[in-house]
Amino acid sequence: MQVYTNPVHAEYFADPFVWRSGDEYYAIGTGPMDADGRSPHADRPCVFPLMRSPDLIHWHPAGYALVPPDEALGHNFWAPEIAFAEGRWYLYYSVGHGDKQHQLRVAVSENPLGPYRDSAQLTDPAVVSFAIDPHPFQDDDGRWYLFHARDFLDTDRDDAGSIRAGTALVVSELETMTRLAPRVHTVLRAYCDWQLFAAQRPMYGQIFDWHTLEGPCVIKEGGRYYCIYSGGRWETDTYGVDYTVSDHVLGPYKVEAGIESPRILKTVPGHVIGPGHCSVVTTRDGSTRMIVYHAWDADMKARRMFIDELYFEGDQPRSDGPSWMPAELPLATVQRVKGPDNANRTN
């Protein structure tokens, strides 16, 4: 066993995406300048900080990933994720102007640490005014899908109650690694009180009680698809991590009534504030999943990178996090993970 203490990286590192290649782990995230719109525009990688680690605990800076695209696209760069396909590395991200006109794009590199150069637009702000948090997922048959978040203004009702206006989760198939299929499937709309971003929020020329679901991350377990997501307001203690499940990658995904708070990660007052926007990676022996996420410290000075185990109780994903005291990094907790395919690919 190795001992770690959260956060595992002391500097600002939001929206962490971690993947394993060979015997090493890599991480990419949203840096403070990316989030605030202060990233310089230059013909060199200066967007999205990179790190590498031999063990998920000790992280070392590895430069920056993305060469900034056309400055007219915006200065705010959010939530990068990496996929490897056809011998190349693909960086999915959003760029825009503050919290408006965010679009999804993809950049390509021959190396996991870049440099990544912008290659294609995936969503058009003239059609989809706000699209963020792209998550590429490869199914067992080799097909790729892109989960992400976008805005909905309508409201409706279903068996769980009212469906709220706000940012919610969708998925489309990737026709190629740089082209998104036009058909969009809704994964989950906000329907719980704890998912409120702001009451009476001015949006699109109207006033809404605005709710937010974002940061999708999909794992496959027991033949089912678990979309783990973050909800609430990222700047407050309401923010946390929950999930929805489906028998098919494109849905329908389950809507459960009576969910009063996030079930995987939530605030621990006085210690960890607003845990969210996670990725999932397996330990080197392939037996244990770790959930990697950001959270505020008690003084809310920065969003930093945390790790904890993700396991299943029956058919429900769970974590004992967020942790803030020294904990052991599990390497072989197979008995806590359901089913024979506990080492499935996680993206």
Side-chain angles (χ1 to χ4, degrees):
M1 290 288 187
Q2 292 179 288
V3 175
Y4 68 94
T5 303
N6 280 319
V8 292
H9 179 61
E11 304 300 322
Y12 189 109
F13 200 85
D15 311 326
F17 178 77
V18 172
W19 75 101
R20 193 180 77 239
S21 181
D23 289 332
E24 195 160 26
Y25 296 94
Y26 298 88
I28 188 171
T30 303
M33 292 192 297
D34 306 330
D36 296 341
R38 295 180 288 115
S39 291
H41 276 262
D43 190 26
R44 59 179 174 81
C46 56
V47 177
F48 299 135
L50 289 159
M51 296 192 295
R52 58 200 311 172
S53 170
D55 55 12
L56 287 175
I57 301 173
H58 303 93
W59 290 94
H60 309 284
Y64 291 83
L66 179 66
V67 177
D70 186 346
E71 190 169 0
L73 296 175
H75 293 262
N76 296 88
F77 297 88
W78 296 348
E81 293 206 10
I82 301 288
F84 179 73
E86 303 163 354
R88 306 176 81 189
W89 299 86
Y90 295 86
L91 166 57
Y92 296 87
Y93 68 100
S94 76
V95 59
H97 306 271
D99 60 358
K100 299 177 181 178
Q101 297 295 302
H102 258 262
Q103 62 178 279
L104 303 183
R105 301 189 68 87
V106 58
V108 184
S109 176
E110 304 298 324
N111 188 292
L113 294 177
Y116 289 86
R117 295 191 180 273
D118 188 71
S119 176
Q121 180 186 61
L122 298 175
T123 63
D124 183 350
V127 178
V128 180
S129 61
F130 188 74
I132 60 170
D133 297 356
H135 170 67
F137 171 79
Q138 187 181 27
D139 206 351
D140 296 332
D141 61 4
R143 294 182 181 179
W144 283 92
Y145 301 84
L146 193 72
F147 290 77
H148 62 279
R150 58 173 63 181
D151 288 351
F152 291 81
L153 304 186
D154 64 304
T155 59
D156 204 344
R157 298 187 68 86
D158 65 4
D159 293 340
S162 62
I163 299 299
R164 327 292 176 89
T167 307
L169 308 175
V170 300
V171 60
S172 294
E173 188 169 359
L174 281 163
E175 294 179 339
T176 71
M177 297 305 288
T178 59
R179 185 171 67 247
L180 201 59
R183 187 176 180 186
V184 178
H185 303 260
T186 300
V187 173
L188 191 68
R189 295 282 302 275
Y191 65 98
C192 298
D193 290 345
W194 68 267
Q195 297 162 349
L196 180 70
F197 182 91
Q200 297 294 291
R201 186 186 189 193
M203 295 290 289
Y204 300 97
Q206 302 179 60
I207 302 295
F208 296 96
D209 286 343
W210 193 262
H211 292 68
T212 293
L213 309 181
E214 60 188 10
C217 171
V218 177
I219 62 174
K220 193 172 183 181
E221 169 66 27
R224 307 181 78 194
Y225 300 84
Y226 291 82
C227 181
I228 300 170
Y229 66 88
S230 301
R233 183 164 184 154
W234 63 276
E235 303 158 299
T236 72
D237 60 4
T238 66
Y239 201 61
V241 176
D242 200 64
Y243 71 95
T244 181
V245 61
S246 173
D247 293 327
H248 191 279
V249 65
L250 295 176
Y253 283 82
K254 187 176 182 180
V255 177
E256 298 183 63
I259 306 301
E260 298 180 354
S261 64
R263 292 169 290 179
I264 296 179
L265 295 168
K266 60 184 177 181
T267 291
V268 180
H271 297 286
V272 182
I273 310 300
H277 203 115
C278 66
S279 58
V280 176
V281 66
T282 56
T283 50
R284 187 176 289 109
D285 64 2
S287 68
T288 304
R289 292 187 178 106
M290 300 298 292
I291 186 168
V292 185
Y293 56 98
H294 71 230
W296 297 96
D297 58 280
D299 297 326
M300 297 194 70
K301 293 180 179 179
R303 292 178 290 172
R304 300 183 173 98
M305 188 166 71
F306 285 57
I307 64 171
D308 282 299
E309 184 185 359
L310 181 75
Y311 57 91
F312 276 77
E313 288 183 347
D315 60 357
Q316 299 178 348
R318 291 288 185 262
S319 173
D320 295 331
S323 67
W324 67 94
M325 298 291 287
E328 292 179 336
L329 179 68
L331 296 180
T333 53
V334 177
Q335 70 276 11
R336 297 181 66 182
V337 183
K338 173 196 171 197
D341 58 342
N342 56 289
N344 275 347
R345 177 191 302 108
T346 57
N347 295 281

